Amino acid sequence: MKIELKVNGKDVAWDCAPHEFLTEALRRHGLLGTKRGCESGDCGACSVLLDGEEVPSCLVLAAQAAGHEVTTSEGLGDFAAPHPLQQAFVDHTAIQCGFCTPGMVIAAKALLDVEPRPSEHAVRECLAGHPCRCTGYVKPIQAVLAVAATNAGGEAR
Amino acid sequence: MYLALQRYSRPSTVHECLELLHAQGGRAALLSGGTDLNAREHEALTHVIDLQALPLAEVRASADSLRLGARVTLARLRREPALARPELAALREAAGAYAVVALQNRATLGGRIMVDRGTEDLPTALVALGAELELARRVDGQIVTEREPYPVGQRARAALEGALVCAVVLPLGTGRSALRRFGRTAVDQPLASVAAASRAGAIHLAANVQGPGAADLRTLPRSEALASAWLAGRPADWRAQARVALLGELAACEDPWASGDYRRDLSATLGVRALAAVFGEPEIV
Ligand SMILES: Cc1cc2nc3c(=O)[nH]c(=O)nc-3n(C[C@H](O)[C@H](O)[C@H](O)COP(=O)(O)OP(=O)(O)OC[C@H]3O[C@@H](n4cnc5c(N)ncnc54)[C@H](O)[C@@H]3O)c2cc1C
Ligand code: FES
Ligand code: FES
């Protein structure tokens, strides 16, 4: 079946099978920042923004995303022009193997978009669905709070 | 993993939706947020019918009731201004107890109701709050819409089979409500949860995970009658009396996560706390 959606700001029309999940469709189109982890909604590695809200792309059929807007970590920034959150994760050494990082950055982006100066509790709640085997969580929390501290009440970016 | 799925549909009317469901028999399923259906028990399905284009995401408040469309997400329940009333606190608390943000953004009321295994917070709150369901069914080729009390017990829940949940309707008045729950971690399903609500001069109670040997949701009529008499004034030892009444009405239910005695005792404690919150008294003395 053909689905039309907006991915990282671009209108696309993709062929996909009815049973294909959004994670697979994105990865098949080269968007490898969206990780395939538990595939059961438990790990947050596959998180993307769907119409601005964080969702687990492993539990969304690609067909369900038709007519909607999807943003992956590639849509936030890249090596040449990273998003402030991506830069903050690097600056705070909040990345080790990096498997959980795109999901965490997406979750943080969704939070800062609606709550530019969140409390530490809100940041912890936002990252709660993103288990990380490497960093011990303190550094990702510090990275998000550092970006929030530069927000004067407006959007992070 | 879907092994047999060949067709995805997105109907825009309730009629079309139920016709599609009927035409495919047991090999089609309604798909809402997908946090349950897309995760498990879907291997044999050949057709999913996505509810997103149906007009089921509306929240409508009138003087005496609140109608929540079945596609309202749990994230929306947490921030919906129409729920910011003391009498609906139990519902907000139940939605807030749910797993993690990304799942709250997808999971819907309708899906939560249909996969109610008698062990969850949200149905406990809905029962104490006197919720009714607006259901659409296909009967003899016609689409029939009815309003029914929230199903309590496995047999009543089984009767929802084949129905489309369109909305949840809650009575509004001036009471208070509270849900008290306990789970081992923030993302575990609760070991027990109890909801209490005051409405129209009476107390309403619901508890989960209390069936004899099996998880289920139930009301607690004897404890309700006792607590209702305390709305106007309470004896000094009301907590002790409530605890005895609750223990007498809660059956011990054991599973690998908790012994029956522990769970019954925990539920009685949670019940007393929920009642204290509804009476506006300290929960811990
Ligand atoms: C990792 C993870 C964690 C979870 N944590 C929790 C938790 O903490 N608390 C909790 O309560 N649940 C939890 N769940 C379970 C799940 O998220 C809930 O059951 C959720 O509310 C289902 O809603 P949905 O909209 O995603 O339903 P779907 O998955 O779309 O549908 C579930 C079932 O309901 C039927 N259905 C859906 N909508 C309707 C309707 N309007 N009318 C008739 N039938 C309908 C579908 O046919 C399907 O059989 C968790 C699930 C996962 C994967
Ligand atoms: S891969 Fe989606 S939540 Fe783990
Ligand atoms: S950086 Fe390795 S899992 Fe988080």
Side-chain angles (χ1 to χ4, degrees):
Chain A
M1 62 189 289
K2 182 79 96 194
I3 60 165
E4 291 181 12
L5 66 162
K6 194 172 255 192
V7 178
N8 295 335
K10 292 197 193 86
D11 289 318
V12 298
W14 286 349
D15 280 316
C16 69
H19 54 79
E20 185 171 24
F21 282 101
L22 184 57
T23 315
E24 285 313 311
L26 292 167
R27 291 179 63 83
R28 210 162 41 77
H29 288 87
L31 296 166
L32 301 176
T34 304
K35 302 297 180 214
R36 196 193 298 128
C38 64
E39 299 183 81
S40 60
D42 290 291
C43 77
C46 67
S47 278
V48 298
L49 300 180
L50 186 66
D51 298 335
E53 289 191 330
E54 185 203 356
V55 303
S57 63
C58 69
L59 293 183
V60 178
L61 290 173
Q64 285 179 281
H68 296 277
E69 185 161 356
V70 175
T71 307
T72 68
S73 61
E74 291 90 342
L76 301 187
D78 57 21
F79 284 108
H83 185 277
L85 278 164
Q86 292 167 323
Q87 188 61 52
F89 269 65
V90 174
D91 294 345
H92 287 79
T93 341
I95 308 176
Q96 286 184 34
C97 79
F99 193 80
C100 68
T101 313
M104 284 207 188
V105 169
I106 285 287
K109 165 82 171 126
L111 173 68
L112 296 187
D113 282 351
V114 291
E115 218 178 318
R117 303 291 298 264
S119 63
E120 182 174 335
H121 176 80
V123 173
R124 284 172 179 264
E125 191 179 47
C126 136
L127 298 182
H130 296 266
C132 171
R133 300 305 302 269
C134 311
T135 65
Y137 304 103
V138 173
K139 291 177 177 185
I141 293 167
Q142 286 171 346
V144 179
L145 286 172
V147 176
T150 65
N151 285 342
E155 238 193 280
R157 170 166 154 167
Chain B
M1 195 190 292
Y2 284 100
L3 297 176
L5 193 63
Q6 290 157 14
R7 196 170 162 207
Y8 165 92
S9 310
R10 197 185 283 186
S12 54
T13 66
V14 168
H15 185 271
E16 189 191 346
C17 170
L18 289 175
E19 286 300 328
L20 284 169
L21 187 63
H22 174 76
Q24 299 294 317
R27 305 207 69 191
L30 303 176
L31 175 62
S32 190
T35 61
D36 200 85
L37 190 73
N38 281 343
R40 40 181 233 107
E41 288 177 24
H42 53 218
E43 288 71 14
L45 294 177
T46 57
H47 186 182
V48 291
I49 302 161
D50 188 344
L51 305 179
Q52 67 171 279
L54 299 184
L56 301 180
E58 198 190 31
V59 173
R60 205 168 59 216
S62 69
D64 58 359
S65 70
L66 178 68
R67 185 180 181 281
L68 301 167
R71 291 254 323 137
V72 168
T73 61
L74 301 199
R76 185 156 166 217
L77 285 184
R78 289 186 73 183
R79 55 171 195 254
E80 174 59 51
L83 263 70
R85 309 167 59 117
E87 65 188 301
L88 299 178
L91 190 55
R92 289 197 309 276
E93 286 157 4
Y98 179 96
V100 296
V101 176
L103 287 147
Q104 287 175 12
N105 285 336
R106 293 297 290 168
T108 65
L109 262 177
R112 174 66 292 163
I113 289 163
M114 291 306 273
V115 290
D116 176 10
R117 297 177 191 95
T119 58
E120 287 89 11
D121 301 308
L122 205 83
T124 312
L126 290 175
V127 169
L129 291 170
E132 293 186 316
L133 299 185
E134 240 178 62
L135 302 169
R137 287 192 175 89
R138 187 181 182 280
V139 181
D140 299 331
Q142 304 290 316
I143 305 303
V144 180
T145 311
E146 310 164 296
R147 202 193 279 187
E148 296 177 7
Y150 192 96
V152 178
Q154 285 170 11
R155 194 178 306 163
R157 275 206 302 280
L160 291 181
E161 187 76 19
L164 171 71
V165 180
C166 297
V168 175
V169 183
L170 295 164
L172 292 182
T174 54
R176 285 179 191 231
S177 72
L179 176 110
R180 293 294 174 265
R181 51 108 63 192
F182 180 77
R184 289 177 310 166
T185 71
V187 295
D188 274 342
Q189 70 177 28
L191 288 180
S193 66
V194 182
S198 59
R199 189 171 60 257
I203 292 284
H204 302 269
L205 283 164
N208 74 21
V209 209
Q210 311 304 331
D216 211 345
L217 172 64
R218 50 175 59 188
T219 55
L220 305 167
R222 294 201 301 279
S223 307
E224 281 175 355
L226 186 68
S228 297
W230 294 334
L231 272 171
R234 287 166 290 286
D237 68 341
W238 75 265
R239 285 185 177 79
Q241 287 193 43
R243 197 176 158 73
V244 171
L246 287 161
L247 284 172
E249 211 164 6
L250 295 160
C253 168
E254 182 160 316
D255 64 17
W257 290 275
S259 75
D261 284 344
Y262 170 73
R263 190 172 257 146
R264 179 164 52 187
D265 200 75
L266 172 66
S267 302
T269 302
L270 296 172
V272 173
R273 287 195 188 172
L275 284 170
V278 168
F279 292 146
E281 296 215 11
E283 287 185 40
I284 300 171
V285 285

